[in-house]
Amino acid sequence: MAKSTADQYLLRVTAGPDYDSSTHTLVAVNGPTSVPISSNHCTANIKVRVQNYRGLPHGSPTTSPYFSSDPHTHDQYSIAFSMIPHTTIDGNELVFGNDLDHSIRDRLPPGTETAFKIVKWAIDPGLEGDFYSDKPHLYGPLLSSINVLRVGPKATKKDGKYEIPARLHEDGIAEGADGEEAELRKEKQVPEDAAARKKHFLKEDHRKDWEFEEGRVYQGDFFNPYIDFNQFALKLPGFSLSVLGYIDAKQDTLRYVMKNKSTGDVFFVVVFTLVPKEDAEKDGAGVTTAASDGIAKTGDDKKEEYQPKDDDLD
């Protein structure tokens, strides 16, 4: 069997309100628009950026100005969002991470456990996961895992539905809050600095003391230099692993999800899929772009290659 190489694939990124791919929208990676999402659980906008992007839709920019400014000059991708919860949620319940619907225990590459230990030790101590279960997962509390967290204003409803204020967007999201929202962080003794905030929320009692309020806008940006989508490789401090040799029909995606860990309620899902080039012309069947289809809804309603170092940790 011929060995797979990175140039045999294109990347496709979709986003939607749940796991059902029929509800997803094709993301215009590195483009100017975000994907709007509406579900029973939240209203959200999602923007995805990938450095050295080779993927769909055809003609997508290979990079974004985002990667030319500090602190993102070494980052490989970003998932930025604005989100309004439709009900108030305990801060300990909302998680962000990766999961799959099928077992991969017989497909895990050598070094998986080593990689997880490095991630836990050096990148995000709050992560918990099980790669050997029938539904493998890796989640972290949103409050301690997200790189940037901003508390926004209360949103208003139009025709009974929440709307994210037009002045808020997914470009240049900064840690913190303004005005009344800054007082909310201060009351809960949440540090202003992102790294300190992440450390603060590693304590469960601090997370339980926080609420994601119904109707309030929260913004976040998740980014790192560790997943190289151009080479389809995981690059951790002192450890590198290519995933190309482990791709098959069932294992060709990386899925990010924000969800309530107790109820299982899904807020939004972003899926990165490797598409063989010969199939790329058929890509898009059952998936629409944000520009052509509006809001994704549930059925209910080239830089020099960079090798991360230990001091690049968040």
Side-chain angles (χ1 to χ4, degrees), residues 13-268:
V13 184
T14 64
D18 57 37
Y19 292 127
D20 182 357
S21 62
S22 70
T23 68
H24 282 215
T25 296
L26 182 64
V27 177
V29 175
N30 296 332
T33 59
S34 299
V35 174
I37 289 173
S38 177
S39 75
N40 288 336
H41 309 300
C42 80
T43 297
N45 289 336
I46 310 294
K47 176 169 278 193
V48 178
R49 304 172 183 90
V50 177
Q51 181 65 298
N52 299 319
Y53 184 64
R54 295 186 296 107
L56 303 170
H58 294 294
S60 297
T62 58
T63 189
S64 163
Y66 176 95
F67 298 111
S68 299
S69 59
D70 289 332
H72 303 296
T73 54
H74 293 315
D75 288 323
Q76 292 294 324
Y77 70 108
S78 157
I79 301 173
F81 63 87
S82 299
M83 183 270 294
I84 304 172
H86 292 176
T87 58
T88 296
I89 308 158
D90 183 305
N92 192 46
E93 298 301 314
L94 205 56
V95 297
F96 183 76
N98 312 104
D99 59 19
L100 289 169
D101 295 324
H102 57 272
S103 171
I104 57 171
R105 63 175 68 93
D106 61 339
R107 296 285 295 169
L108 290 173
T112 296
E113 291 188 5
T114 299
F116 182 49
K117 288 178 181 178
I118 293 173
V119 171
K120 283 273 291 183
W121 168 72
I123 300 170
D124 189 350
L127 287 175
E128 298 294 339
D130 184 350
F131 299 106
Y132 297 93
S133 69
D134 290 337
K135 292 188 176 183
H137 59 274
L138 181 64
Y139 303 134
L142 181 68
L143 288 168
S144 62
S145 289
I146 204 74
N147 300 75
V148 172
L149 177 66
R150 188 167 189 84
V151 182
K154 280 282 196 175
T156 57
K157 285 185 175 182
K158 182 178 181 180
D159 298 327
K161 296 182 178 181
Y162 284 114
E163 286 194 340
I164 295 171
R167 66 181 178 84
L168 299 180
H169 51 78
E170 292 67 56
D171 294 314
I173 298 172
E175 182 77 21
D178 296 313
E180 173 189 290
E181 294 77 43
E183 289 302 312
L184 290 175
R185 287 180 65 127
K186 193 172 181 179
E187 287 173 11
K188 299 295 185 181
Q189 299 182 322
V190 177
E192 295 180 6
D193 175 73
R197 180 261 305 161
K198 293 170 71 175
K199 184 176 180 180
H200 174 82
F201 281 122
L202 285 174
K203 295 184 178 180
E204 184 177 3
D205 57 339
H206 289 169
R207 297 196 299 271
K208 288 183 174 180
D209 191 44
W210 179 271
E211 287 184 335
F212 290 98
E213 296 179 62
E214 175 187 353
R216 184 174 293 282
V217 181
Y218 297 89
Q219 293 186 290
D221 190 5
F222 179 79
F223 50 83
N224 66 56
Y226 307 117
I227 299 179
D228 183 347
F229 285 109
N230 190 46
Q231 293 298 321
F232 309 123
L234 176 66
K235 297 180 178 181
L236 299 172
F239 182 90
S240 184
L241 175 68
S242 173
V243 302
L244 286 173
Y246 303 92
I247 295 170
D248 59 23
K250 290 183 66 177
Q251 189 171 319
D252 60 358
T253 64
L254 177 64
R255 184 169 74 187
Y256 285 91
V257 59
M258 183 187 293
K259 65 189 296 185
N260 185 314
K261 68 177 183 179
S262 294
T263 65
D265 293 338
V266 173
F267 282 60
F268 63 78

